[in-house]
Amino acid sequence: MTPRPGPGLRPFSIKTKLGTLVVVSVFITTGLLMVALRTETELRFITVFSVIASMLITQFVAHGLTAPLDEMNTVARAISHGDYTRRVSGAGRRDELGDLAVTINSMADDLEAVDRHRKELVANVSHELRTPIAALRAVLENVVDGVSAADPETMRTALKQTERLGGLVETLLDLSRLDNGVVPLRARRFEVWPYLSGVLKEAGLAAGRRGLVSGSGNHARADVHLHLDVFPPELTAHADAERLHQVVANLVDNAIKHSPPHGRVTVRARRGERPGSLTLEVLDEGPGIPESERHRVFERFNRGSATGGDGGTGLGLAIARWAVGLHGGDIGVAESSRGCRIRVTLPGVPKAAG
């Protein structure tokens, strides 16, 4: 978008137009008076001509100012009634009304995006809740009707569906915290190797159980090998361990889902430039992320073109970006010769605290 001129640089501001209107009216009146003096025309005729000319010019200028305001009022009313598709056509004007049109259009874009996210949230959550609830209901109905016995295997299946529901609720709670924007950051210094080792162990167990959770053995990923690479081994970092756990767990879970059979997922940790800073990379051997989709990969509900219908909510990477943002760090897709590489940088100890 071409930058608009600032308030003091508008070549055709409303103040300029009104000032020009006054100057033109004065010149017309003065000119007619001079004509009257030279031709001895009666003053009343000059007054009438002067008033008519000033009214025509004023009407022309007023129409140029009020017509966009009428359109803005119509668009604003439509937006207030939930129609976020309307836009103001005067965004190209080089005056205050043009700036107002740009602001209204930007507001409409934001409201349309929020409304779209709300609808997507309802649709995605409904879809995600339907599968485990239906499976859990089927298991319990079979037990109640005597079709199947309440043996450990049946109860284990019901438990897995309950765990899936619990995981979805936790994800929604994280999303609520993201929207509210008020989350305390409890940063502390910790050893990276044992911390990441514990996160990867949990991720491996969760991946191995995914077949029972989804109800299909096709999604069990116990075959994916998780590798931890920390250098130096005694590396320490300064961050909120709970929020960082969300980042690593979501990135590893995403990498496992997109890994080929018997693939390898590597979590690499290195020291950053500042005290307590950390650079994390999660690498997989999957199909990778097309360059055209990299700018959208951290958006909510974005499942990408290579998800393969894994049943994810599309919230994991959005939550990871939120948690990294709380630390003042960066997260993004880095170049990789194979698979996908997600890089996270955490700033470490704040300068004021250092």
Side-chain angles (χ1 to χ4, degrees):
M1 179 181 294
T2 303
R4 299 186 60 83
L9 301 175
R10 296 188 187 95
F12 304 109
S13 68
I14 293 178
K15 291 181 179 180
T16 302
K17 292 179 180 178
L18 294 178
T20 303
L21 172 62
V22 173
V23 171
V24 171
S25 298
V26 170
F27 269 107
I28 290 176
T29 303
T30 303
L32 290 175
L33 287 174
M34 293 178 65
V35 170
L37 293 175
R38 291 186 178 184
T39 61
E40 297 182 356
T41 306
E42 292 187 17
L43 185 61
R44 59 181 178 178
F45 294 120
I46 297 299
T47 302
V48 171
F49 291 150
S50 176
V51 170
I52 292 175
S54 298
M55 289 181 62
L56 290 175
I57 295 175
T58 303
Q59 178 65 20
F60 175 77
V61 175
H63 177 74
L65 297 178
T66 58
L69 291 176
D70 291 337
E71 183 187 10
M72 293 176 189
N73 183 50
T74 302
V75 172
R77 288 181 181 274
I79 292 175
S80 68
H81 289 88
D83 182 6
Y84 306 118
T85 61
R86 302 287 296 273
R87 297 294 184 272
V88 180
S89 60
R93 296 172 60 104
R94 303 179 66 183
D95 56 14
E96 292 86 348
L97 292 178
D99 290 342
L100 181 58
V102 171
T103 302
I104 292 177
N105 289 341
S106 177
M107 178 190 67
D109 291 338
D110 293 340
L111 290 174
E112 186 178 18
V114 170
D115 185 62
R116 183 175 63 253
H117 287 157
R118 178 183 61 81
K119 293 177 180 178
E120 289 176 346
L121 174 63
V122 173
N124 281 278
V125 171
S126 299
H127 174 77
E128 294 299 322
L129 288 173
R130 181 175 56 187
T131 301
I133 289 178
L136 183 59
R137 179 177 180 178
V139 171
L140 296 179
E141 284 181 348
N142 289 338
V143 172
V144 172
D145 295 339
V147 178
S148 61
D151 53 30
E153 183 63 27
T154 301
M155 292 297 98
R156 190 177 298 112
T157 302
L159 175 62
K160 297 306 176 183
Q161 300 301 334
T162 306
E163 289 176 348
R164 182 176 181 181
L165 286 173
L168 179 59
V169 171
E170 288 296 327
T171 300
L172 294 176
L173 288 175
D174 289 335
L175 183 62
S176 176
R177 298 188 187 103
L178 189 158
D179 288 332
N180 291 333
V182 181
V183 179
L185 196 66
R186 300 182 177 89
R188 61 177 178 83
R189 186 172 296 276
F190 59 90
E191 295 184 10
V192 175
W193 178 276
Y195 173 79
L196 291 180
S197 179
V199 176
L200 261 63
K201 183 177 181 180
E202 294 178 13
L205 293 175
R209 294 197 305 262
R210 187 168 292 129
L212 292 174
V213 174
S214 64
S216 171
N218 293 332
H219 292 283
R221 302 312 310 270
D223 61 314
V224 177
H225 175 64
L226 302 180
H227 176 67
L228 180 59
D229 177 12
V230 179
F231 185 83
E234 67 277 6
L235 178 63
T236 61
H238 187 271
D240 187 319
E242 181 179 355
R243 300 302 165 207
L244 186 58
H245 186 285
Q246 289 178 297
V247 176
V248 179
N250 279 311
L251 293 181
V252 171
D253 180 69
N254 189 70
I256 290 175
K257 288 177 182 177
H258 296 89
S259 292
H262 306 289
R264 179 188 181 98
V265 173
T266 301
V267 177
R268 182 177 299 160
R270 296 291 185 270
R271 180 180 287 117
E273 297 179 357
R274 291 172 49 185
S277 60
L278 182 67
T279 299
L280 280 174
E281 291 184 346
V282 178
L283 306 88
D284 62 53
E285 299 176 342
I289 301 175
E291 188 171 355
S292 60
E293 295 185 11
R294 292 181 181 178
H295 68 287
R296 299 181 57 248
V297 71
F298 296 101
E299 294 179 0
R300 298 182 191 179
F301 309 116
N302 177 53
R303 305 186 186 209
S305 61
T307 55
D310 55 29
T313 61
L315 292 173
L317 293 182
I319 291 173
R321 180 179 64 176
W322 162 69
V324 172
L326 285 177
H327 290 81
D330 295 313
I331 183 171
V333 181
E335 292 295 332
S336 178
S337 59
R338 181 183 182 186
C340 175
R341 179 198 302 259
I342 303 293
R343 177 177 295 146
V344 175
T345 58
L346 301 179
V349 181
K351 291 183 179 179

